[in-house]
Amino acid sequence: MKSKALTAIFPGTFDPITNGHIDLVTRASLLFPRLIVAIAQNPNKKTLFTLEERVNLASTAVEHLLNVEVIGFNNLMANFAQTHNATVIVRGVRTTHDFEYERQLAEMNRALKSDLDTIFLMPSIAMGFISSTIVKDVAYHGGDITNLVPLHVKTELLKRLT
């Protein structure tokens, strides 16, 4: 059987990128020769940071991972995957609720692009509770987010919220 180099995509809004995201990106980068962190411009979500800001924050957070690149996008995931010759989507799943939602997305992506598979990674135990929404809420209420996000993200988030 002839092997082919795989490009995988780890998509999300990343508003902002968290240590939980970075944990999953790091682990996925060990599984695939090329990993794209695809940052979505989703008109249905009200984001705190612009797409460009989210791309910059994520790029800095994963710059130590040589096979990872960060790209913003605003189209269907299946089309983005086609453009970048990707055949795998990587998604983090924390709960059964996450899984049900992610399963629907995986099935739709597969219906749109028949060779596009989705794999699910569970977060490490220490990171499983972290989400961008929780991080923003804790920061907004003056809680310490030092262990939840990279320092540069903490700095920008606190600037934005004050």
Short mmCIF file of all heavy atoms in Angstrom, two decimals, residues 9-12 38 73 75-82 89 109 112-113 116:
data_model
loop_
_atom_site.label_atom_id
_atom_site.label_comp_id
_atom_site.label_asym_id
_atom_site.label_seq_id
_atom_site.Cartn_x
_atom_site.Cartn_y
_atom_site.Cartn_z
N ILE A 9 -6.48 19.20 9.59
CA ILE A 9 -6.95 20.53 9.96
C ILE A 9 -7.55 20.45 11.36
O ILE A 9 -8.35 19.56 11.64
CB ILE A 9 -8.01 21.04 8.98
CG1 ILE A 9 -7.44 21.15 7.58
CG2 ILE A 9 -8.58 22.39 9.44
CD1 ILE A 9 -8.49 21.45 6.52
N PHE A 10 -7.15 21.39 12.21
CA PHE A 10 -7.76 21.54 13.53
C PHE A 10 -8.51 22.87 13.51
O PHE A 10 -7.93 23.92 13.70
CB PHE A 10 -6.69 21.52 14.63
CG PHE A 10 -7.24 21.55 16.02
CD1 PHE A 10 -7.97 20.49 16.52
CD2 PHE A 10 -7.03 22.64 16.84
CE1 PHE A 10 -8.48 20.52 17.82
CE2 PHE A 10 -7.52 22.67 18.13
CZ PHE A 10 -8.25 21.62 18.63
N PRO A 11 -9.83 22.82 13.22
CA PRO A 11 -10.58 24.06 13.07
C PRO A 11 -11.23 24.52 14.38
O PRO A 11 -11.47 23.73 15.29
CB PRO A 11 -11.66 23.67 12.06
CG PRO A 11 -11.93 22.23 12.37
CD PRO A 11 -10.61 21.65 12.82
N GLY A 12 -11.50 25.80 14.44
CA GLY A 12 -12.22 26.35 15.58
C GLY A 12 -12.28 27.86 15.49
O GLY A 12 -11.70 28.47 14.59
N ALA A 38 -7.03 26.00 11.69
CA ALA A 38 -7.92 26.81 10.83
C ALA A 38 -8.85 27.62 11.72
O ALA A 38 -9.69 27.07 12.43
CB ALA A 38 -8.70 25.89 9.90
N PHE A 73 -10.08 31.44 7.95
CA PHE A 73 -10.93 31.09 6.80
C PHE A 73 -12.37 31.52 7.06
O PHE A 73 -12.78 31.74 8.21
CB PHE A 73 -10.85 29.58 6.49
CG PHE A 73 -11.62 28.70 7.44
CD1 PHE A 73 -12.85 28.18 7.07
CD2 PHE A 73 -11.12 28.38 8.69
CE1 PHE A 73 -13.56 27.36 7.94
CE2 PHE A 73 -11.81 27.56 9.56
CZ PHE A 73 -13.04 27.04 9.18
N ASN A 75 -15.09 30.08 4.83
CA ASN A 75 -15.93 29.29 3.93
C ASN A 75 -16.22 27.93 4.56
O ASN A 75 -15.89 27.70 5.73
CB ASN A 75 -15.26 29.15 2.56
CG ASN A 75 -13.88 28.51 2.64
OD1 ASN A 75 -13.25 28.47 3.67
ND2 ASN A 75 -13.41 28.02 1.51
N LEU A 76 -16.85 27.05 3.82
CA LEU A 76 -17.14 25.72 4.33
C LEU A 76 -15.84 24.95 4.62
O LEU A 76 -14.88 25.04 3.86
CB LEU A 76 -17.95 24.92 3.31
CG LEU A 76 -19.41 25.29 3.12
CD1 LEU A 76 -20.00 24.52 1.95
CD2 LEU A 76 -20.20 25.01 4.40
N MET A 77 -15.86 24.20 5.70
CA MET A 77 -14.68 23.40 6.06
C MET A 77 -14.30 22.45 4.93
O MET A 77 -13.11 22.27 4.64
CB MET A 77 -14.97 22.63 7.35
CG MET A 77 -13.87 21.68 7.78
SD MET A 77 -12.20 22.39 7.86
CE MET A 77 -12.46 23.85 8.82
N ALA A 78 -15.27 21.84 4.28
CA ALA A 78 -14.98 20.92 3.18
C ALA A 78 -14.24 21.64 2.05
O ALA A 78 -13.31 21.08 1.46
CB ALA A 78 -16.26 20.28 2.67
N ASN A 79 -14.62 22.86 1.76
CA ASN A 79 -13.94 23.63 0.72
C ASN A 79 -12.54 24.03 1.15
O ASN A 79 -11.59 23.98 0.36
CB ASN A 79 -14.75 24.87 0.35
CG ASN A 79 -16.07 24.53 -0.30
OD1 ASN A 79 -16.27 23.42 -0.77
ND2 ASN A 79 -16.97 25.49 -0.32
N PHE A 80 -12.40 24.41 2.42
CA PHE A 80 -11.09 24.76 2.96
C PHE A 80 -10.17 23.53 2.89
O PHE A 80 -9.01 23.64 2.48
CB PHE A 80 -11.23 25.25 4.41
CG PHE A 80 -9.94 25.70 5.04
CD1 PHE A 80 -9.45 26.97 4.82
CD2 PHE A 80 -9.22 24.84 5.85
CE1 PHE A 80 -8.26 27.38 5.41
CE2 PHE A 80 -8.04 25.23 6.44
CZ PHE A 80 -7.55 26.52 6.22
N ALA A 81 -10.69 22.38 3.26
CA ALA A 81 -9.90 21.14 3.21
C ALA A 81 -9.47 20.84 1.77
O ALA A 81 -8.32 20.45 1.54
CB ALA A 81 -10.71 19.98 3.78
N GLN A 82 -10.38 21.01 0.83
CA GLN A 82 -10.06 20.77 -0.58
C GLN A 82 -8.93 21.69 -1.04
O GLN A 82 -7.98 21.25 -1.67
CB GLN A 82 -11.31 20.99 -1.44
CG GLN A 82 -11.11 20.71 -2.91
CD GLN A 82 -10.98 19.22 -3.20
OE1 GLN A 82 -11.62 18.41 -2.56
NE2 GLN A 82 -10.14 18.88 -4.15
N ILE A 89 -9.84 15.99 9.57
CA ILE A 89 -10.19 17.06 10.50
C ILE A 89 -9.98 16.50 11.90
O ILE A 89 -10.39 15.38 12.21
CB ILE A 89 -11.65 17.52 10.33
CG1 ILE A 89 -11.85 18.14 8.95
CG2 ILE A 89 -12.04 18.51 11.43
CD1 ILE A 89 -13.30 18.48 8.65
N ASN A 109 -19.46 17.13 6.83
CA ASN A 109 -18.22 17.32 6.09
C ASN A 109 -17.94 16.12 5.18
O ASN A 109 -17.50 16.28 4.05
CB ASN A 109 -17.05 17.56 7.05
CG ASN A 109 -17.07 18.96 7.61
OD1 ASN A 109 -17.39 19.91 6.92
ND2 ASN A 109 -16.74 19.07 8.88
N LEU A 112 -20.09 16.32 2.15
CA LEU A 112 -19.63 17.34 1.21
C LEU A 112 -18.33 16.96 0.52
O LEU A 112 -18.07 17.36 -0.61
CB LEU A 112 -19.44 18.68 1.95
CG LEU A 112 -20.72 19.32 2.48
CD1 LEU A 112 -20.38 20.51 3.39
CD2 LEU A 112 -21.62 19.77 1.34
N LYS A 113 -17.48 16.20 1.21
CA LYS A 113 -16.18 15.78 0.66
C LYS A 113 -15.93 14.36 1.15
O LYS A 113 -15.54 14.14 2.29
CB LYS A 113 -15.08 16.74 1.14
CG LYS A 113 -13.73 16.50 0.51
CD LYS A 113 -12.72 17.56 0.97
CE LYS A 113 -11.37 17.45 0.32
NZ LYS A 113 -10.72 16.17 0.36
N LEU A 116 -12.97 13.09 3.34
CA LEU A 116 -12.62 13.90 4.51
C LEU A 116 -13.08 13.19 5.78
O LEU A 116 -14.28 13.09 6.05
CB LEU A 116 -13.27 15.28 4.39
CG LEU A 116 -12.89 16.33 5.43
CD1 LEU A 116 -11.39 16.57 5.45
CD2 LEU A 116 -13.62 17.64 5.11
#
